Amino acid sequence: MKTERNPENTRHRILQAAFQEMHKHGYQGMRIDRILTKTGLKKGALYHHFSSKQVLGYAVLEERIQKRITALWIDPLTSFADPLEGIHTLFTELENDWDDAFFSLGCPLNNLAQEMSPIDDGFRKRIQNFFKFWQKAIADALKKGQRQGIVDSSINTENCALFILASIEGALGMTKNHQDKEVYYICSRELERYLNTLKATYTH
Amino acid sequence: MKTERNPENTRHRILQAAFQEMHKHGYQGMRIDRILTKTGLKKGALYHHFSSKQVLGYAVLEERIQKRITALWIDPLTSFADPLEGIHTLFTELENDWDDAFFSLGCPLNNLAQEMSPIDDGFRKRIQNFFKFWQKAIADALKKGQRQGIVDSSINTENCALFILASIEGALGMTKNHQDKEVYYICSRELERYLNTLKATYTH
DNA sequence: ACTAGTACAAACCAACTAGTCTGTCTATAA
DNA sequence: TTATAGACAGACTAGTTGGTTTGTACTAGT
């Protein structure tokens, strides 16, 4: 009986297990040994694919977390006719895409941002760049709305996008601590109140 | 030359050093040895005052973090004539009370909430109760505004208070990651836009 | 002044943790 | 078929971590 070998699959399994570890325990709380137990691999295998815990951490951030957020939160932004409605839809219908782990463990990107920003500039800058990318995507959607006359032309789209992002992350953080999805839905409805202030006023 | 003894002061110094450690590294990243270096004490002294790292962590949360937030953020809420203006004032003038560490290291309460909620129910419940206490204080201020006719009587004050809290924590998180106070001020101005939607409408 | 509990210091320890080293099996290309 | 590099396993290690044990100087109560 031959040992099955599939390096790409092995690497993927390590990334998946490491992601779960980081999502629950944070980067510092992530344990290499737990990843090995979860994957059934040995140290030699893990360190063959990733030269250090830090390299593995960066890989989880870039190859799993950022890619997934891009697919679920950022790419869809361009597909909505009304950006304000689109943002709110994206915000409220997230329950279908992300499972319960998202509510009980929070946004993996923001978790890392809060934990690592003060102590590892490699993490901090990667996350900061991605947040800027995300913010720009929201701002672009709002600008498109401005050109269509749906969004108030006097607002600063970058500033609004930043606040929207901060509110979403804040709401997810509260939800995680309260362990109650309802917290998220309440914040979602209040964010809608804010989004309504960005509508174009038809007074002319 | 006698050794100076001052148990209350020693306990306070440990709490202070532990707070700084937790603020920067998180609870898991906090190292007992660094606290000893910072205070100049030995292990015997620390473990005489606190029986474990966990007990010390809980003490930092309750005796330093929660007390300080109560004094700077919650107690002042009752002193404003207009709660909406009061909340915004409290939010923007925070730079005077909390030093730069607050911007670069984030809100110590929310840091702990994000880090520990999934892995330590003792932390989670203590923080949750305190967030509820904070939320209630904001809601009470809004209710007072409703009775005065300043705040829209149709809003759900608890829901609005929750969103305000989430937004503040979210904004501080963004600020920490971007290492830029301006991020905070931008969010502050956008929160003002939200707060304005809570004003009583004088249409009668 | 005596005593007993308090407030520490100093040395020690077991468990853990990331990372290394060596060797072996496997797939692939010549 | 065989040489070579890749993909692992298994055992090991140096350093770290929270925590303990023991001893001692100080101090408050009597």
Side-chain angles (χ1 to χ4, degrees), chain A residues 62-204:
Chain A
E62 293 174 335
E63 297 178 36
R64 278 197 72 87
I65 298 175
Q66 293 183 348
K67 278 192 180 171
R68 217 164 232 193
I69 290 177
T70 301
L72 293 178
W73 289 75
I74 299 178
D75 286 344
L77 279 173
T78 57
S79 64
F80 294 105
D82 182 340
L84 297 177
E85 208 180 287
I87 290 166
H88 189 252
T89 301
L90 221 47
F91 191 51
T92 51
E93 289 188 352
L94 134 129
E95 58 178 319
N96 301 323
D97 297 320
W98 295 75
D99 57 6
D100 285 340
F102 197 73
F103 286 104
S104 60
L105 300 180
C107 170
L109 179 69
N110 195 44
N111 289 358
L112 265 182
Q114 300 314 309
E115 179 190 5
M116 301 306 291
S117 288
I119 56 176
D120 185 309
D121 230 43
F123 270 113
R124 205 203 108 248
K125 283 177 178 162
R126 281 169 171 81
I127 295 166
Q128 185 186 16
N129 286 335
F130 188 76
F131 267 135
K132 281 180 180 169
F133 171 68
W134 193 350
Q135 182 186 349
K136 187 178 180 305
I138 296 175
D140 284 346
L142 292 174
K143 274 173 195 151
K144 189 179 146 200
Q146 283 180 327
R147 286 193 297 271
Q148 292 174 318
I150 307 172
V151 174
D152 186 344
S153 59
S154 69
I155 64 160
N156 180 314
T157 54
E158 265 78 19
N159 290 2
C160 293
L162 180 62
F163 180 73
I164 291 168
L165 258 186
S167 298
I168 292 176
E169 296 296 0
L172 282 168
M174 277 290 161
T175 305
K176 170 161 79 166
N177 175 251
H178 281 74
Q179 288 191 346
D180 180 6
K181 280 188 186 181
E182 188 58 27
V183 167
Y184 183 76
Y185 300 133
I186 290 170
C187 288
S188 166
R189 286 196 294 273
E190 294 305 317
L191 182 73
E192 196 176 11
R193 192 196 299 275
Y194 167 81
L195 291 173
N196 284 336
T197 69
L198 307 182
K199 278 185 181 166
T201 51
Y202 304 96
T203 56
H204 56 87

Side-chain angles (χ1 to χ4, degrees), chain A residues 174 177-178, chain B residues 124-139 165:
Chain A
M174 277 290 161
N177 175 251
H178 281 74
Chain B
R124 205 204 107 246
K125 283 179 178 161
R126 281 169 172 82
I127 294 166
Q128 184 185 16
N129 286 335
F130 188 76
F131 267 133
K132 281 180 180 169
F133 171 68
W134 194 348
Q135 181 186 349
K136 187 179 181 304
I138 295 175
L165 257 185

